[in-house]
Amino acid sequence: MTENPKANGGEQNGNAVPAPRDTGGEVIRVRRGMFGANNGGDTSGYGGLVRTVTLPGAASRPYGGWFDEVADELEGALEEQDLLPSNAIEKTVVDRDELTFHIAREHLVQVARTLRDDPALRFELCTGVSGVHFLGDKGRELHAVYHLRSLTHGRLIRLEVSAPDSDPHIPSLVEIYPTNDWHEREAYDFFGLVFDGHPALTRIMMPDDWQGFPQRKDYPLGGIAVEYKGAQIPAPDQRRSYS
């Protein structure tokens, strides 16, 4: 069972209602309408809605409960490898009783391996990677979010890595967490994140020659030509092989 940080001296929030993010953190965009449509395509009836899009800011010590233990152990383990923690960990966020380390992409592999192999950490399982596209987060529009679980200690944390639209490269973690194989392909297919070192980074849902990445925020809503027209299915002996 996952430990509850509140039970170990974590944040004491008297109710279960999440705190509004507009009161702190980093404002990256002001969204208008239900879906952000600005060309008259919002038919939801909420066209006048105005909402500030805010990313949670860095937390300060103490984080509460086992969060401090994990942060201390990770920083100490990186120092033992002659890596300055502040160079690898861009910020640590505690939001809604969840712990997230924002990692510089060039150090992602080393941090992930440390989290997996260090006996006091032992995050043996990565349950996948999710892509996120923040149009207003200039210079780091694309985010990859990894959910790591420690079966040994019953803990759950997240790693988050960012990359700009102009250079969407992030190191692959398939070598460390083999189950990320198809998850990274899906994030590539829908968001255009390029996972360097992946053994077979090809589309997994869309056709190979599909133009664009459908889950990016700047992908058009409707009005897209039927791009499946004329598609052919290769014979079984001519299809791709990943073995």
Side-chain angles (χ1 to χ4, degrees), residues 100-118:
T100 304
F101 295 109
H102 289 249
I103 307 299
R105 56 180 171 172
E106 62 269 23
H107 298 300
L108 174 62
V109 172
Q110 185 173 356
V111 170
R113 183 176 286 110
T114 301
L115 286 165
R116 184 194 67 179
D117 295 344
D118 189 283

Side-chain angles (χ1 to χ4, degrees), residues 9-236:
E11 295 180 346
Q12 301 296 322
N13 186 356
N15 55 65
V17 179
R21 289 185 178 174
D22 294 350
T23 59
E26 184 179 358
V27 177
I28 61 169
R29 186 184 179 193
V30 176
R31 192 173 74 181
R32 301 180 183 278
M34 176 65 80
F35 304 106
N38 54 12
N39 57 358
D42 186 349
T43 59
S44 66
Y46 291 88
L49 183 67
V50 179
R51 178 177 178 270
T52 301
V53 180
T54 307
L55 299 181
S60 57
R61 298 275 194 159
Y63 304 139
W66 56 264
F67 290 177
D68 291 280
E69 179 183 339
V70 169
D72 290 341
E73 185 61 34
L74 176 58
E75 293 174 5
L78 294 177
E79 288 177 344
E80 291 175 359
Q81 301 172 54
D82 297 322
L83 176 57
L84 193 64
S86 59
N87 290 339
I89 305 172
E90 296 175 338
K91 68 176 178 178
T92 302
V93 172
V94 177
D95 185 56
R96 289 156 170 75
D97 294 331
E98 295 178 332
L99 177 65
T100 304
F101 295 109
H102 289 249
I103 307 299
R105 56 180 171 172
E106 62 269 23
H107 298 300
L108 174 62
V109 172
Q110 185 173 356
V111 170
R113 183 176 286 110
T114 301
L115 286 165
R116 184 194 67 179
D117 295 344
D118 189 283
L121 296 169
R122 294 296 289 154
F123 287 90
E124 310 98 330
L125 176 64
C126 179
T127 59
V129 55
S130 303
V132 189
H133 189 210
F134 291 112
L135 278 175
D137 200 8
K138 299 302 181 183
R140 52 182 190 183
E141 292 87 355
L142 292 167
H143 292 236
V145 183
Y146 303 83
H147 306 267
L148 305 184
R149 183 176 292 277
S150 171
L151 304 179
T152 300
H153 302 293
R155 295 169 175 174
L156 179 66
I157 65 171
R158 283 198 303 245
L159 301 183
E160 188 163 338
V161 183
S162 61
D165 273 340
S166 58
D167 181 26
H169 290 264
I170 292 175
S172 172
L173 291 186
V174 172
E175 177 185 357
I176 301 170
Y177 297 109
T179 54
N180 269 25
D181 188 343
W182 285 20
H183 291 282
E184 289 183 3
R185 285 180 58 199
E186 185 177 29
Y188 162 71
D189 195 0
F190 289 146
F191 291 92
L193 282 162
V194 180
F195 294 92
D196 296 328
H198 189 283
L201 192 63
T202 55
R203 289 191 181 271
I204 192 171
M205 299 292 288
M206 312 302 291
D208 289 346
D209 58 352
W210 190 270
Q211 299 298 312
F213 305 102
Q215 288 192 352
R216 286 197 182 188
K217 295 294 178 61
D218 52 1
Y219 193 79
L221 295 175
I224 302 172
V226 180
E227 299 180 50
Y228 283 104
K229 186 176 181 180
Q232 295 181 354
I233 300 176

